[in-house]
Amino acid sequence: MHIQIERSEVEHLALFGSLDTAGLDEIVGAATGRRYRASDTVFEQGEQATHFFVLVRGRLRVTQVTSEGQQIIIRMVNPGDLFGIAKALATLDYPGTATAVAESCALCWPMQMWTGLLERHPSLAIQAMQTMGSRLLEAQLRVRELSTEEVERRVAHAVLRLANQSGRKEPGGVRIDFPISKQDIAEMTGTTLHTVSRILTAWEGAGLVEGGRQKLLVRDPHGLVMVADGLRPCLL
Amino acid sequence: MHIQIERSEVEHLALFGSLDTAGLDEIVGAATGRRYRASDTVFEQGEQATHFFVLVRGRLRVTQVTSEGQQIIIRMVNPGDLFGIAKALATLDYPGTATAVAESCALCWPMQMWTGLLERHPSLAIQAMQTMGSRLLEAQLRVRELSTEEVERRVAHAVLRLANQSGRKEPGGVRIDFPISKQDIAEMTGTTLHTVSRILTAWEGAGLVEGGRQKLLVRDPHGLVMVADGLRPCLL
DNA sequence: CGGATTGTTGAGGATACTCAAGTTAGGTGG
DNA sequence: CCACCTAACTTGAGTATCCTCAACAATCCG
């Protein structure tokens, strides 16, 4: 689980962008490297928040479970992203569960260092603030989608977001580069796996995507954008 | 529109909680006071963000309009809240429109001062961060509600939130202390004013609330909590 | 006293959920 | 390598929720 992480692997991350060498050394030096295999959990909802993290490699899924036991996916964590920053949310517990969906590496720091590191490295504080800001905007975007759009468009938006954040170009389209189930997509869009399945088969018929067991290839991103924008619905 | 705001009116705000006298003087001294009448707009979605604000008195509504023209209410702004902090969101424009729903007073600063003020007053930076954090958590809560709950429960949650943030105890219940229409509630919960109307009449029958044109009185908060929790549905 | 805004209520229908059954793909162990 | 088992997925039928459309009533304002 514990591993060595090379400085060279993290110095290019946007989060550390405008740090000088000494600052980077201090920050990375204080961190511990950790490795997670697919389906390992990094921390769990409600657990006391002992550490905060930066994802170096791989992909995580952050979920929440409602009091009735329904699960939703809050977001996917991509390399370079801060996560588990409970202090910034003024919370003592992790508000969600983070699970690796692919082999992943992260740097982690004890939560007590949060305030000190931010104070000593203003550029880090600014980055952290911007992280929070973009997450807030994203959450508001999702609220807007859930409030005003029908399921097919919401799914289209979710798939496009996945393709942008975690897509790898390959001949014939953009491949989502980690295993993703219809259930996952349902939990990202507030619908059921049944409806997602029906929508994806329809899209497949229209040549927009190509599915498979925990696989997804976007063949026609532009066409998908049209679906997301409400032109060209693909269901009857 | 421009008014004088007394130091005594703002020094108790949580935002300025742990500032020393000199700091408070500097910050409040740099601010301009503004007054808004009900239905005045403070700033508009897409406009260049020239100032950031703290609400001193009154109540604002922050809305967004989708590309299709549908409006949703992002949040209500209560006294003591920061708003219009586009810099924190790494945006140059205001992402929403802020409108006074009651006679309101705000302090405002030119946006260029954002970074400087935060740097010189770390306690302010911490407060700003916590503001962002609680807003992010709230947005995620709303995503969860929209994803998993049916309309009646969402409306119950929204009304309870209003009662907690903007409610005034009065004999017979908790009064929402600004004019609020069914359309407003619909835009907070992702439904239509028709459905809200039906729900509120049902609740009125059950003795949970008392409505009226732009009026709302919560008679039985505990009963409403049960509705919000999914026990005791009031619609057939 | 109009006129406008806000709210009420009914009927009909669409979207998407639930329930149910069956299929496919992949991993595991013999 | 094949048989088996499970998790993921597909598809159909029936239906509930909630939206749309429409007409009307109440309230507020000048």
Side-chain angles (χ1 to χ4, degrees), chain A residues 64-74 142 146 154 183 186-192, chain B residues 140-154 157 189 228-230:
Chain A
Q64 285 185 354
V65 177
T66 68
S67 46
E68 273 104 28
Q70 277 196 81
Q71 183 171 281
I72 70 164
I73 296 182
I74 294 293
R142 234 172 125 187
L146 284 162
R154 299 206 305 264
Q183 178 71 40
E187 287 172 9
M188 293 191 290
T189 51
T191 181
T192 62
Chain B
Q140 285 177 356
L141 177 67
R142 234 172 124 185
V143 167
R144 209 160 59 225
E145 287 178 8
L146 284 162
S147 300
T148 65
E149 292 175 6
E150 303 193 333
V151 173
E152 188 181 10
R153 296 182 57 186
R154 299 206 305 265
H157 276 123
T189 51
D229 287 351

Side-chain angles (χ1 to χ4, degrees), chain A residues 92-130:
Chain A
L92 293 177
D93 304 337
Y94 294 115
T97 297
T99 312
V101 293
E103 176 91 22
S104 302
C105 295
L107 286 175
C108 78
W109 295 264
M111 194 59 88
Q112 303 93 275
M113 298 184 68
W114 177 253
T115 315
L117 279 183
L118 289 205
E119 274 171 4
R120 248 169 302 123
H121 304 281
S123 85
L124 198 66
I126 290 172
Q127 279 293 333
M129 196 103 174
Q130 303 222 335

Side-chain angles (χ1 to χ4, degrees), chain B residues 106-143:
Chain B
L107 285 176
C108 79
W109 294 262
M111 193 61 88
Q112 302 95 273
M113 298 185 67
W114 177 255
T115 315
L117 279 184
L118 289 204
E119 273 171 4
R120 249 167 304 125
H121 305 282
S123 85
L124 198 65
I126 291 172
Q127 278 294 332
M129 196 102 172
Q130 303 222 335
T131 298
M132 306 265 302
S134 60
R135 261 198 242 166
L136 181 55
L137 287 176
E138 199 187 303
Q140 285 177 356
L141 177 67
R142 234 172 124 185
V143 167

Side-chain angles (χ1 to χ4, degrees), chain A residues 168-175 207-210 216-221:
Chain A
R168 241 187 19 212
K169 270 220 178 72
E170 81 178 36
V174 180
R175 158 91 38 208
L208 293 172
V209 302
E210 223 172 274
L216 188 53
L217 175 74
V218 179
R219 297 196 71 88
D220 179 4

Side-chain angles (χ1 to χ4, degrees), chain B residues 1-235:
Chain B
M1 181 178 185
H2 286 260
I3 54 158
Q4 190 66 29
I5 290 191
E6 296 299 324
R7 237 200 62 160
S8 62
E9 250 200 297
V10 300
E11 64 191 358
H12 66 280
L13 297 180
L15 182 65
F16 302 130
S18 41
L19 276 174
D20 52 40
T21 314
L24 189 60
D25 279 340
E26 185 203 335
I27 294 173
V28 176
T32 315
R34 291 201 190 163
R35 213 184 71 148
Y36 303 93
R37 301 180 175 285
S39 91
D40 282 359
T41 90
V42 180
F43 52 75
E44 260 181 279
Q45 183 174 4
E47 206 178 280
Q48 205 200 347
T50 57
H51 294 80
F52 66 93
F53 304 80
V54 169
L55 189 65
V56 177
R57 235 177 314 120
R59 214 70 73 172
L60 308 180
R61 180 182 45 194
V62 181
T63 59
Q64 286 185 353
V65 177
T66 68
S67 46
E68 274 105 25
Q70 277 196 79
Q71 182 170 282
I72 69 163
I73 295 183
I74 293 292
R75 65 175 183 125
M76 300 301 301
V77 180
N78 297 295
D81 288 357
L82 273 170
F83 67 100
I85 49 177
K87 261 274 164 49
L89 306 181
T91 315
L92 292 177
D93 304 337
Y94 294 116
T97 298
T99 313
V101 294
E103 175 89 21
S104 301
C105 295
L107 285 176
C108 79
W109 294 262
M111 193 61 88
Q112 302 95 273
M113 298 185 67
W114 177 255
T115 315
L117 279 184
L118 289 204
E119 273 171 4
R120 249 167 304 125
H121 305 282
S123 85
L124 198 65
I126 291 172
Q127 278 294 332
M129 196 102 172
Q130 303 222 335
T131 298
M132 306 265 302
S134 60
R135 261 198 242 166
L136 181 55
L137 287 176
E138 199 187 303
Q140 285 177 356
L141 177 67
R142 234 172 124 185
V143 167
R144 209 160 59 225
E145 287 178 8
L146 284 162
S147 300
T148 65
E149 292 175 6
E150 303 193 333
V151 173
E152 188 181 10
R153 296 182 57 186
R154 299 206 305 265
V155 174
H157 276 123
V159 169
L160 285 171
R161 231 168 289 150
L162 285 172
N164 283 329
Q165 295 174 355
S166 324
R168 241 186 20 209
K169 270 219 178 73
E170 82 178 37
V174 179
R175 158 92 37 208
I176 309 302
D177 74 349
F178 58 85
I180 182 154
S181 67
K182 321 271 148 155
Q183 178 71 40
D184 289 333
I185 297 180
E187 287 172 9
M188 294 191 290
T189 51
T191 181
T192 61
L193 81 161
H194 308 279
T195 301
V196 171
S197 176
R198 286 183 236 272
I199 289 174
L200 290 190
T201 1
W203 287 356
E204 217 152 336
L208 293 173
V209 300
E210 224 173 274
R213 188 194 176 84
Q214 305 212 13
K215 284 186 194 4
L216 189 52
L217 174 74
V218 179
R219 296 196 71 86
D220 179 4
H222 182 256
L224 249 196
V225 169
M226 304 214 32
V227 176
D229 287 351
L231 328 158
R232 201 214 281 212
C234 291
L235 297 177

